[in-house]
Amino acid sequence: MSELQASDLALFWAGVIALAIMVYVILDGFDLGVGILFGTTTDEAKRVSMMNTIAPFWDGNETWLVIVGAGLFATFPTVYAVFLSAFYIPVLLLLFGLIFRGVAFEFRYRSQRLRWLWDGGFFIGSIVVAFVQGAAVGAMMRGIRVVDGQYAGGSFDWLHPFAVLTGIGLVFGYALLGAGWIVLKSDGALRDWAYARIGWLLAIVFAIIAAAFATVLSVDTGAVAQGHLAGRAWGWVFPLLGVVALLGAAWAARARRDAWPLACTALFFVSAFLTLGVMFWPYMVPYAITVANAAAPEASLQFLFYGGVVVLPVIAIYTIGVYWVFRGKVSGGYG
Amino acid sequence: MELDPVILSRIQFAFVISFHIIFPAFTIGLAAWLATIEGARLFTGNALYRRVFDFWIKVFAVSFGMGVVTGIVMAFQFGTNWSVLAAKTGSIQGPLLGYEAFTAFMLEATFFGVMLLGRERVSPRFYFFACCMVSLGTMFSSFWILANNSWMQVPLGHEIVDGKIVPADWMQIVLGPVQMVRWPHMLLAAFLTSAMCVAATGAWYTLRGVHRDEGRVMLHWGLGLVAVLIPVQLFFGHLTGLYVLKHQPAKFAAIEARWKNEQPASEVLIAWPDEANERNLFAITVPKLGSMIASGNWTSAEVGLESFPKEDRPPVVIPFFAFRIMVGMGLLMLAVSWFGNFLRWRGQLETQRWFLWCTYLSFPTGFVAVLTGWYTAEVGRQPWVVYGLLRTRDAVTPSLTTGDVAFSLAGYVLVYAVVYSFGLYYIYSLLRDGPGPDATPVAVRGATGSRPLAFAGHADTATGRAGRQKP
C-alpha cells in the first residue's frame, strides 16, 4: 500500500491543506494568544485594548480551520475520519472553546452582570483550544493506531504525558505570538506590558520545545520520525532555523523593534511546522496512513479543484484586505 | 432502548442539527426578504422601506452569525461520530459539503461585507445587486446541503470500489431528480418561515400600537408573500411525497401508518401507531382515500410495512406524527395568510385584534414545519444512513464508547443552552425594540463580513434598555 504514488492532484490538495494549517496556526495563534494573555491581567483598560487589537481579525482567522476540516473531508476522507475519531474529546473541547470565545467577543459588552462569565469563557476557551491543538500534535508524534482505515485506540490515548507537555508548550507558544501581536498593534502601557512578557515566554517555549524534540529523538515511539530525520539530513535546517528565530525574537524584544517579535515567532512556528513535515512525510496520519493511501478518487479531487482555484485565492485576498484596512496601531479601537 | 454509541450519536446529531437548521432556514428567507424590500425601496424611493430594511438586516446579521457558530459544529460531526460513513462516502459527501463551505466563504468575503458596511460607499443600484447576490448565495449554500442529503436519501451516480462508495457521475449526484424537488421544497420552507416571522412582528407592533408604518409594511408584505407561496409549497410537498413513494416505499408506509398491504387503501388521518403489535390504536380512517393520495385513483393497491423485512423498516411513530404536524403547520399558514388577505381587501387587517393575535402567535409555524419535515425525512430513512447502501448502525465510529458520546451530548446540551439563550434573547430584544428612526451612516467597530454579530451589536438598543422606544 505505502508504495502507492500520490497523484499530482493529491499532492496539490495535500499542499493546500498543509498551507491552510500553517496559516491557521499563525493567524488564530496570535488571537488565541491574546486571549490567553487577556486572562493574566484584571486591568479593564488593558483588556479592552487587547480585545480591540484582534476584534476585526479573529473570526476570519478561524475560517482557515474550517478550510482544513472541509478540505480533509473532501479530499482525504480517511484522514478526516481517523483524525476526528482519535481526537474525539479534544475536538469537542476545541469546538466548545471556539464557541465560547466567539460569543464572548459579542456578549461581553452587552452585559455588566455576566461579564465575568464571558471573560472567563474567553480566557479559558483560548487556553483549552491551544492546549488540545498542542496535545494533538504530541499524540501524532507518538503515532496513531489504525486498523482497516479506522482509528483503533481508546478515547484517552491522546492524553499521554508527552502530549500534555506539547499541549502546554503550544499554550505558551500562542501566548508568545499574542504578545508579539500586542506589541505590534498597541503603544503605551499595554505595549510595555507585553514586551515585559516576551522574554519569559521565550524561555519557557524554548525549554518545552527542546525537551519535546529531544524526547522524540530518543524514544521508540518516534522511531519512524527519527528515521526520516536521519535519512533527510537537509531537514535539520528547520530546527536550526527555529532556534535562530527564537534568538531573533529575544533580540527584537530587547531592541524594542515592534514588528519583529511577531515576525520572528511566526518564523519559529513555520520552522517547527516544517520540522514536523520532515519527520512525518509521506504520512498524513503518523505512522499509518500516507497521502497516497488517503486521497479520495481523482473524480473527487478534480471536482473540488474547480471550486478551490476560484475560492481559495478570494479568501486569501480577502484576508490580506482585512489586515490592510485595519493596519497600524490601535488607539481607542477601530472605528 | 439500550443506550449505545449508535443511539446516542443519533440523538446528538439530531440535537445539533435541529439547533443549527433554525438559523439557516431563517437566514435564507430573510436574505430574500431584504433583497425584496431593498428592491421596493429602490424602485419607489419610499424611505419607509429603508427603515424596515435597516431593522431586519440587524436580525439577519445575528441569525447569520448564530448559523455560522452552530454550522462549524456540523462540519466535524461526520468525522467524530460517523467515521465509517465519512471514510466510505467522503469522496462524494466531502466535495458537496466542501462546495457549501466555499459558497459560504465567498459570500462572507464579498457581497455580505458590502451589504453590512457598504451602504454609504457604493451606489444604490450596486447595493441592491449585493443584496440579491447575498440572497442567491444563501440559496446556493442550501443547494449543496440538499444535494448531499438528497444523495443520502436516493443515492445516484456512484459506484462501489474496494468497499467505498465513490463518485461515477457528478451530474447525477448533484442534479438528480430528487434534488430538483427537495431543494425548492426547502427554499420555499425557508421563505415561508421568514415571511411568517415578518408578518408576526408586524402584527406585534400593530397590537402594541408602536412602529405603525413599519408594522403595516411587515404585516402586509409578510401575509401577501405567504399567501402566494403556500400553494406552491403544497405542490412541491406533493412532488416530494411522490419521490418518497417511488424510491422509499417503506418510509411512505411509515408516514401513512399502513401496516398491511391494502387494496383499495384507506387513509389514516390520526391514530396512535402501536409499533410492537403492528396496528393503530384510536385510528380515524377514511376508506379509499389512501389510494387516491398515493396513486391518484380510488382503487389501486398500496404496500404496507408488512411487505418489508423487519430489519428494513423505519420507526413509525416519529414520521407519522412529524409529517402530520408539518402538514398542519402548512394548512395553518394557508388559513392565516388567505384570511389575512381577505381582511386586507376589506380594509380591516389592522383593526381585527383577534386576527392580529393569531398572526402574532403564528410566528413559529415555519420553524416547526421545517423541523418536523426534516424529522419525517431523516427518521423515515432509517435504518439506512445512505439509503440501501449503508446502515446507520454500521456507520458509527467504531472506537466510540457510550461514555464518550454521553459526555459529548451532555456538553453540547449545556453549551447550546448557554449560548442559545443569549442568542435568542438578543434576537428577541432586537425584534421587541423594533426599527429605529431614519438611519444615519454608522461606522461599525471591527465588524467585517465574517463577523456579523458585531454589526447588529452596534445598535445600543440590542439588549440594553437605554434606547428602547416607549410605546
Side-chain angles (χ1 to χ4, degrees), chain A residues 47 59 67 86 94 101-102 105 111 117 121 132 135 178 212 220 227 230 233 240-241 245 248 274 300 313 325 333:
Chain A
R47 286 189 160 190
D59 205 342
I67 292 177
L94 171 88
R101 259 175 64 82
F105 255 97
S111 125
L117 174 72
V132 296
D220 286 348
L240 289 176
L241 189 63
L274 291 172
S300 302
V325 168

Side-chain angles (χ1 to χ4, degrees), chain B residues 98-395:
Chain B
Y99 264 99
E100 194 279 331
F102 282 175
T103 313
F105 290 144
M106 288 297 278
L107 254 184
E108 286 181 7
T110 54
F111 295 107
F112 191 49
V114 174
M115 197 171 163
L116 289 186
L117 304 167
R119 171 70 91 175
E120 309 302 325
R121 298 176 200 173
V122 298
S123 75
R125 280 178 190 282
F126 187 80
Y127 190 80
F128 174 57
F129 174 71
C131 293
C132 292
M133 293 308 287
V134 167
S135 173
L136 214 59
T138 59
M139 292 190 227
F140 273 124
S141 205
S142 72
F143 173 87
W144 296 107
I145 298 296
L146 265 292
N148 183 46
N149 186 267
S150 295
W151 182 81
M152 292 166 80
Q153 297 284 353
V154 182
L156 291 167
H158 60 272
E159 59 191 357
I160 296 177
V161 177
D162 296 335
K164 292 192 174 172
I165 306 166
V166 300
D169 181 353
W170 279 108
M171 285 299 281
Q172 274 201 314
I173 293 170
V174 177
L175 297 168
V178 179
Q179 159 75 349
M180 286 303 142
V181 171
R182 295 181 79 234
W183 181 43
H185 192 46
M186 180 65 209
L187 284 182
L188 288 162
F191 297 160
L192 286 166
T193 300
S194 303
M196 282 310 286
C197 286
V198 169
T201 308
W204 193 18
Y205 296 153
T206 312
L207 280 168
R208 285 161 52 201
V210 296
H211 312 301
R212 283 180 189 280
D213 295 338
E214 295 88 346
R216 205 180 125 82
V217 168
M218 294 175 201
L219 191 57
H220 284 238
W221 279 80
L223 288 177
L225 287 170
V226 174
V228 173
L229 292 175
I230 194 85
V232 186
Q233 177 67 321
L234 292 176
F235 174 68
F236 271 98
H238 173 69
L239 293 181
T240 306
L242 292 183
Y243 105 76
V244 173
L245 180 66
K246 184 176 172 193
H247 296 284
Q248 301 177 319
K251 182 197 278 185
F252 196 89
I255 290 170
E256 297 287 51
R258 187 178 291 130
W259 300 99
K260 307 272 181 239
N261 299 329
E262 290 183 59
Q263 184 177 24
S266 58
E267 174 70 11
V268 182
L269 293 181
I270 194 74
W272 179 261
D274 173 8
E275 298 198 25
N277 298 307
E278 302 187 11
R279 59 178 181 173
N280 296 322
L281 305 175
F282 319 113
I284 299 172
T285 59
V286 180
K288 297 190 184 180
L289 184 61
S291 295
M292 186 64 197
I293 287 173
S295 305
N297 66 67
W298 300 102
T299 52
S300 63
E302 304 300 338
V303 290
L305 287 162
E306 67 175 355
S307 296
F308 306 96
K310 283 210 165 165
E311 70 272 18
D312 290 350
R313 289 185 202 169
V316 175
V317 172
I318 293 179
F320 177 82
F321 283 109
F323 177 78
R324 274 153 188 74
I325 294 169
M326 175 188 72
V327 173
M329 291 298 136
L331 297 178
L332 212 60
M333 286 186 242
L334 181 78
V336 169
S337 63
W338 283 23
F339 191 76
N341 279 280
F342 171 72
L343 286 178
R344 181 180 164 195
W345 174 63
R346 297 272 304 265
Q348 296 174 337
L349 186 52
E350 276 87 16
T351 50
Q352 298 288 346
R353 289 186 70 82
W354 69 270
F355 180 77
L356 291 172
W357 271 104
C358 289
T359 310
Y360 170 50
L361 293 175
S362 307
F363 78 92
T365 45
F367 294 113
V368 174
V370 166
L371 286 172
T372 49
W374 276 107
Y375 294 158
T376 310
E378 300 298 282
V379 178
R381 190 189 56 215
Q382 303 304 320
W384 304 97
V385 62
V386 179
Y387 202 75
L389 292 177
L390 182 62
R391 284 176 194 274
T392 308
R393 74 173 128 79
D394 298 330

